[in-house]
Amino acid sequence: MSLRKVLFMFICSSALFVMIMGEEEKKVVIYTISIRALGELRNIENSYVEHLTSYVRALQKKVDTLQKYLLSVTHENLDSNMSRVQYVANPLNSLALMRRAHEDWPKWLSYIKDQEGIQQLDTLAAQMPNAVDMNEALMGMERIERFYDLRAFDMANGLVAGRHLDTRMLAPECLILADFMYNRSEYTRAAEWYRLAWNNLELPLNPVAREFYRPNPEEVRKRFLISRLHEGSIDQIKEYLDELEQDPSVPLVYLKPKRAATDIERGCRGDFPPPPQLVCRYNHTTTPFLRLAPLKEEEISRDPLIWLYHDVVYDSEIAELTANLTREEMSQGYTDNYTTTEKERIFHVKTFEGSGEKLDRDLVNRMADISGLLAGNHTHLARINYGLGSHFPEHADYSDIKANPELVEEGDRLITFLFYLTDVPLGGATIFPKVNLTIQPKKGSALFWYNIHNDWEPHLLTRHAVCPMIEGNRWILTKSLLAYDQMFVKLCYK
Ligand SMILES: *[C@@H]1O[C@H](CO)[C@@H](O)[C@H](O)[C@H]1NC(C)=O
Ligand SMILES: *[C@@H]1O[C@H](CO)[C@@H](O)[C@H](O)[C@H]1NC(C)=O
Ligand SMILES: *[C@@H]1O[C@H](CO)[C@@H](O)[C@H](O)[C@H]1NC(C)=O
Ligand SMILES: *[C@@H]1O[C@H](CO)[C@@H](O)[C@H](O)[C@H]1NC(C)=O
Ligand SMILES: *[C@@H]1O[C@H](CO)[C@@H](O)[C@H](O)[C@H]1NC(C)=O
Ligand SMILES: *[C@@H]1O[C@H](CO)[C@@H](O)[C@H](O)[C@H]1NC(C)=O
Ligand SMILES: *[C@@H]1O[C@H](CO)[C@@H](O)[C@H](O)[C@H]1NC(C)=O
């Protein structure tokens, strides 16, 4: 047995998630799970409004022309006291009638039917989000509410995790979220959202929008009641109806106990104690490069070993990394735990598998400089963009070698590098729930940790997660340094 195989038999893994790309979704864009893509959708919406406006203008012109014409024919030809026979008995009239009927009227019909501009609207409509995408958006909002233990009333009024977003939710949005909660059997939360839809029935204020989008009040009332009855008692219908009329800022009583928070949720809410003040220093000893550009290095955990580096990616590099990525270049990132067919969409990602462009090469070299390890000849850099309420469930970066024998060739993921390319004002923290650690992304900083022990056993405490995004545009750059590349460089780190 070769050395590699022996080493690998020690690597086992209890649970993992792996990122894979879905080709099938390249054509059907899922906008929700990437802020970059949502920005594109916003462009599409703007174009739609522009086209609709010019279509309406053209339509208006047509209506004016038609009206003028009809007025004239009424006066000239039809508004006469002559009987029909009297009219056609005159050959001049007959000829005029013939010509009009043969030439003019068909023309008017094709004039009406010619809907210039409709085609562009069709094209844009084809790019609108599908039902799967809509569902992703609702999942994101549900996650934001659940992970951060927010009150529906506050969310609807734009008060999210202590921050005023200066926006309110309208009745149709409250209603669709209520239906979503209801479908997940979250009846108290559904009832809260139905009550908000009920209270916001007069929003939007625009009367036309209200006419088109306003939920049916009776339907909202009915669904509110049914939600209450799922967990309550039929004898209390009157009380439930009173609840509907109550001030919505008074929370509804949970008729079934609310589920306790998970470790991850506690971490996301900021309930972990602040990280211990370990070592913070300028490190310029690792490689010759660092003697020229010392690193601001912060050790934030000893076991597992986790370091935070400040100011390691330049703004110009960040601009280049995050700009100009087209829809075709980004792929869908999923989690996959190999045991279920259910895959979860988590973000949009662009990876470099080859030797990479210059910037990627520079960054990989920087990772090698920071760690003193070998970055290997493949960049395998992933640029990742999160979306509305998107998160990364708890997972480990080490691999399950039994499930993934193809990884034997390269070795396990010894180290993970995670470069934060943007600040995230709210949400989107990286958390290590097993060691009570929460790290909020800070533009230009990088996180670095060992996934496996010296004996290359998985380090179970390195399991980590990304909290649901609330506000901001979370871009990261990540890469794993593989174990075999380090065979003769870094066998031990302690
Ligand atoms: C995979 O997902 C299923 C269903 O959510 C879960 O029961 C199982 O524990 C997961 N397996 C791993 C290895 O995480
Ligand atoms: C048609 O007859 C009515 C009354 O019978 C009259 O008031 C009107 O002026 C006539 N119209 C024309 C175009 O002769
Ligand atoms: C809830 O479930 C119903 C029935 O399956 C479905 O028609 C509806 O679209 C779902 N609504 C939401 C918001 O998920
Ligand atoms: C994005 O692409 C445009 C056009 O190709 C180019 O001029 C611009 O410099 C690019 N921006 C970045 C940050 O790379
Ligand atoms: C610098 O970092 C390396 C590992 O990356 C570490 O071995 C070394 O002790 C650090 N130097 C100082 C002065 O902390
Ligand atoms: C990787 O790159 C190094 C130095 O550039 C080279 O010596 C080595 O042969 C390369 N290895 C492979 C597998 O391409
Ligand atoms: C994490 O926090 C919990 C509760 O605050 C505590 O019981 C536990 O010991 C902590 N774990 C670590 C590794 O610090």
Side-chain angles (χ1 to χ4, degrees):
M1 206 183 266
S2 78
L3 176 62
R4 287 188 174 193
K5 279 199 180 119
V6 173
L7 286 170
F8 248 102
M9 292 183 65
F10 290 104
I11 297 171
C12 62
S13 165
S14 54
L16 76 160
F17 280 87
V18 160
M19 187 176 79
I20 54 168
M21 313 311 151
E23 286 299 316
E24 82 272 16
E25 271 185 6
K26 278 217 160 151
K27 287 192 193 80
V28 182
V29 194
I30 297 291
Y31 295 101
T32 301
I33 40 78
S34 151
I35 291 293
R36 190 203 57 80
L38 283 168
E40 247 176 75
L41 181 57
R42 179 66 170 155
N43 279 346
I44 293 171
E45 183 179 51
N46 284 341
S47 304
Y48 198 91
V49 171
E50 271 165 33
H51 283 296
L52 196 58
T53 307
S54 54
Y55 174 69
V56 166
R57 216 178 289 128
L59 207 57
Q60 187 63 56
K61 221 173 110 196
K62 244 182 224 185
V63 169
D64 293 346
T65 310
L66 279 164
Q67 256 167 357
K68 255 187 238 158
Y69 180 70
L70 283 175
L71 221 55
S72 72
V73 289
T74 317
H75 281 310
E76 286 167 16
N77 305 312
L78 303 175
D79 186 23
S80 149
N81 284 342
M82 261 186 269
S83 79
R84 288 168 202 166
V85 173
Q86 266 177 323
Y87 179 80
V88 296
N90 176 340
L92 272 58
N93 282 344
S94 285
L95 175 65
L97 168 66
M98 276 306 292
R99 199 208 50 78
R100 279 200 308 272
H102 179 64
E103 290 187 344
D104 293 359
W105 294 117
K107 255 188 219 157
W108 285 111
L109 186 60
S110 57
Y111 178 71
I112 293 167
K113 280 187 178 165
D114 172 28
Q115 291 178 319
E116 207 188 318
I118 278 279
Q119 216 158 10
Q120 284 111 311
L121 289 173
D122 260 345
T123 312
L124 289 168
Q127 297 174 47
M128 294 297 177
N130 60 17
V132 173
D133 207 354
M134 184 66 232
N135 197 56
E136 288 284 349
L138 293 167
M139 283 162 72
M141 291 299 282
E142 189 276 333
R143 234 179 257 133
I144 291 175
E145 186 191 308
R146 172 164 47 94
F147 272 75
Y148 300 100
D149 196 24
L150 303 181
R151 296 256 348 267
F153 177 79
D154 291 337
M155 273 177 90
N157 287 293
L159 180 63
V160 179
R163 199 175 169 98
H164 280 282
L165 298 182
D166 210 18
T167 327
R168 285 182 73 178
M169 280 170 72
L170 308 179
E173 279 86 53
C174 295
L175 180 64
I176 194 168
L177 207 43
D179 286 344
F180 181 79
M181 300 282 182
Y182 182 90
N183 285 0
R184 288 173 54 105
S185 311
E186 295 266 8
Y187 298 115
T188 305
R189 294 168 74 198
E192 285 277 11
W193 284 105
Y194 283 127
R195 187 170 62 161
L196 284 162
W198 174 261
N199 274 279
N200 287 355
L201 279 174
E202 297 312 314
L203 296 175
L205 295 170
N206 173 327
V208 179
R210 263 218 310 272
E211 184 189 329
F212 276 92
Y213 307 128
R214 186 165 102 147
N216 176 336
E218 264 324 297
E219 190 58 34
V220 174
R221 204 169 109 106
K222 192 177 93 193
R223 291 189 208 174
F224 172 84
L225 255 192
I226 294 174
S227 304
R228 284 320 248 166
L229 287 174
H230 262 287
E231 293 177 338
S233 143
I234 195 106
D235 305 330
Q236 294 192 294
I237 280 197
K238 199 182 156 306
E239 281 84 340
Y240 302 146
L241 283 174
D242 289 346
E243 282 178 342
L244 189 59
E245 301 299 339
Q246 263 170 18
D247 175 359
S249 71
V250 178
L252 289 175
V253 185
Y254 268 80
L255 300 175
K256 280 207 176 133
K258 195 173 165 183
R259 185 182 53 74
T262 64
D263 282 351
I264 306 264
E265 286 165 1
R266 289 193 313 109
C268 292
R269 289 171 198 177
D271 290 353
F272 290 162
Q277 289 292 311
L278 295 174
V279 197
C280 189
R281 66 195 160 216
Y282 284 85
N283 187 328
H284 45 82
T285 56
T286 322
T287 66
F289 168 84
L290 297 178
R291 279 195 279 277
L292 300 173
L295 283 171
K296 287 175 232 164
E297 179 187 273
E298 203 181 326
E299 185 182 290
I300 55 175
S301 163
R302 291 240 162 94
D303 184 26
L305 203 55
I306 306 176
W307 279 323
L308 184 62
Y309 294 92
H310 298 281
D311 306 319
V312 288
V313 204
Y314 308 118
D315 285 358
S316 57
E317 291 170 335
I318 290 174
E320 202 177 325
L321 285 164
T322 56
N324 288 351
L325 279 182
T326 64
R327 182 188 301 180
E328 284 71 30
E329 285 175 298
M330 299 291 281
S331 303
Q332 180 71 67
Y334 296 96
T335 60
D336 191 350
N337 78 3
Y338 299 117
T339 56
T340 53
T341 51
E342 282 294 300
K343 286 185 291 185
E344 191 173 344
R345 292 182 189 82
I346 38 179
F347 41 55
H348 280 180
V349 55
K350 157 90 177 157
T351 44
F352 293 94
E353 295 297 342
S355 54
E357 294 155 18
K358 183 178 177 304
L359 175 59
D360 304 300
R361 205 60 239 172
D362 286 350
L363 289 166
V364 168
N365 288 340
R366 196 165 309 152
M367 290 175 182
D369 287 336
I370 290 172
S371 61
L373 300 180
L374 297 181
N377 290 14
H378 299 283
T379 52
H380 291 296
L381 269 178
R383 304 183 210 175
I384 290 174
N385 186 221
Y386 283 73
L388 165 61
S390 54
H391 74 147
F392 201 155
E394 188 186 325
H395 65 285
D397 287 354
Y398 46 78
S399 303
D400 181 348
I401 194 63
K402 289 183 208 131
N404 305 281
E406 73 276 7
L407 292 176
V408 172
E409 279 312 306
E410 305 216 344
D412 207 344
R413 295 170 177 143
L414 176 63
I415 278 174
T416 296
F417 261 107
L418 205 164
F419 283 41
Y420 295 113
L421 304 181
T422 50
D423 290 315
V424 179
L426 266 189
T430 305
I431 70 173
F432 291 81
K434 304 269 186 281
V435 288
N436 296 347
L437 206 55
T438 305
I439 300 111
Q440 193 63 28
K442 188 164 160 293
K443 186 176 179 182
S445 63
L447 208 55
F448 159 111
W449 70 87
Y450 282 85
N451 292 303
I452 56 181
H453 290 287
N454 283 338
D455 57 6
W456 294 17
E457 278 282 353
H459 198 319
L460 303 180
L461 302 183
T462 62
R463 293 179 62 80
H464 56 285
V466 176
C467 296
M469 278 296 302
I470 304 180
E471 190 194 4
N473 187 6
R474 189 182 202 268
W475 275 100
I476 60 153
L477 180 79
T478 182
K479 174 180 168 61
S480 303
L481 302 192
L482 300 175
Y484 289 158
D485 285 327
Q486 323 307 331
M487 191 89 74
F488 305 106
V489 183
K490 185 87 181 174
L491 288 174
C492 297
Y493 63 80
K494 276 176 185 161

